[in-house]
């Protein structure tokens, strides 16, 4: 219990430092500065966190127990050393998350929920919290499938999840890194410049850079795009470009609206154009 407490303290300090740095060295100018947008993202994030916690118990935890008890999953069937099993498990978890992210842009049903994340008019560390609770509930089902199909163990899953949370906060941040450092980092992990392109309103740009932790999968599938100036990017979803379009109520209600498909098809949803 003490270990978990110190991990949360360390994460909180790191997140706080990131918030400070992105305001001292902003990568992009904010269209909606002030506390209203931040408060909206935090509210959506709190609902998402509660949904994730509530979904872990009925979905992911039973999948882990079943996989352990019945020796289910690819990695449990392969005759490989334990250390290699951990490495392969980490890589497969991250790769299948790339596939899930790609599907969230390709499936009209999944896009209804994922679009709420992309509707943010700016991109900073609070955007990394802005995921619709419906998307997180669906993601919990996908996480259970990952556990059963891949056969990853608890420590590997926990390590990957912890690093993923840190990566999501980092690559959504508005931190302007020295270009030399950015070029080195992007060879391994998703970075703020790389992910900023993914949040563009232009389908040709947002239909790229799906990686959430390791950046290798975009290069593998030729979906990597790095040659876009941040100053030329318009963040958000086309047709939803004013604060009135992305209020807390409208953001949470969007996936359940009958006309959501019409709203999100205006101008072509990111990744489907």
């Amino acid at each position: 219990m003490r270990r978990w407490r110190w991990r949360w303290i360390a994460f909180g300090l790191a997140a706080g430092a990131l918030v400070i740095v992105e305001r001292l060295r902003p990568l992009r100018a904010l269209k909606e500065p002030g506390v209203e947008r931040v408060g909206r993202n935090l509210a959506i994030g709190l609902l998402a966190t509660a949904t994730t916690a509530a979904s872990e118990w009925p979905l992911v935890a039973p999948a882990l127990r079943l996989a352990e008890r019945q020796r289910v999953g690819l990695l449990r069937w392969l005759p490989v050393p334990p250390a290699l099993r951990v490495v392969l498990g980490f890589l497969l978890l991250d790769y299948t998350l790339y596939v899930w992210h790609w599907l969230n842009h390709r499936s009209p049903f999944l896009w209804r929920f994922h679009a709420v994340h992309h509707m943010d008019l700016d991109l900073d560390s609070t955007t990394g919290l802005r995921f619709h609770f419906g998307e997180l509930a669906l993601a919990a089902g996908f996480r259970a499938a990952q556990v059963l199909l891949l056969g990853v163990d608890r420590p590997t899953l926990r390590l990957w999840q912890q690093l993923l949370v840190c990566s999501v906060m980092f690559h959504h941040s508005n931190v302007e890194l020295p270009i030399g450092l950015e070029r080195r980092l992007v060879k391994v992990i998703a970075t703020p410049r790389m992910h900023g392109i993914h949040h563009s309103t232009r389908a040709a740009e947002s239909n790229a850079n799906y990686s959430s932790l390791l950046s290798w999968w975009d290069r593998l599938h030729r979906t990597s795009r790095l040659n876009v100036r941040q100053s030329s990017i318009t963040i958000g979803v086309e047709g939803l470009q004013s604060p009135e379009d992305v209020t807390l109520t409208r953001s949470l209600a969007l996936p359940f609206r009958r006309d959501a498909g019409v709203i999100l098809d205006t101008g072509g949803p990111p990744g489907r154009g």
Side-chain angles (χ1 to χ4, degrees), residues 84-153:
L84 181 56
R85 187 176 293 117
V86 171
V87 173
L88 290 175
F90 189 97
L91 293 175
L92 287 171
L93 282 168
D94 205 55
Y95 174 69
T96 49
L97 181 63
Y98 167 92
V99 175
W100 172 250
H101 190 181
W102 179 84
L103 286 172
N104 271 265
H105 282 258
R106 294 292 171 171
S107 162
F109 174 73
L110 294 176
W111 172 245
R112 281 175 172 247
F113 294 93
H114 188 57
V116 175
H117 173 64
H118 277 264
M119 282 165 58
D120 200 0
L121 300 180
D122 291 303
L123 191 64
D124 64 15
S125 54
T126 67
T127 314
L129 305 173
R130 185 196 164 93
F131 290 92
H132 195 277
F133 63 87
E135 178 179 356
L136 273 294
L138 293 166
F142 180 77
R143 187 65 33 79
Q146 283 179 298
V147 168
L148 291 172
L149 293 174
L150 301 179
V152 294
D153 57 24

Side-chain angles (χ1 to χ4, degrees), residues 212-239:
S212 296
L213 202 168
L214 299 172
S215 60
W216 305 337
W217 318 125
D218 280 298
R219 289 198 294 277
L220 177 66
H221 289 281
R222 298 182 180 181
T223 54
S224 178
R225 183 166 184 181
L226 305 175
N227 59 341
V228 180
R229 290 184 178 274
Q230 298 295 308
S231 59
S232 71
I233 297 172
T234 300
I235 301 294
V237 174
E238 190 171 347

Side-chain angles (χ1 to χ4, degrees), residues 190-203:
T191 63
R193 281 188 175 90
M194 176 184 180
H195 201 70
I197 296 168
H198 177 70
H199 274 258
S200 170
T201 57
R202 301 187 187 98

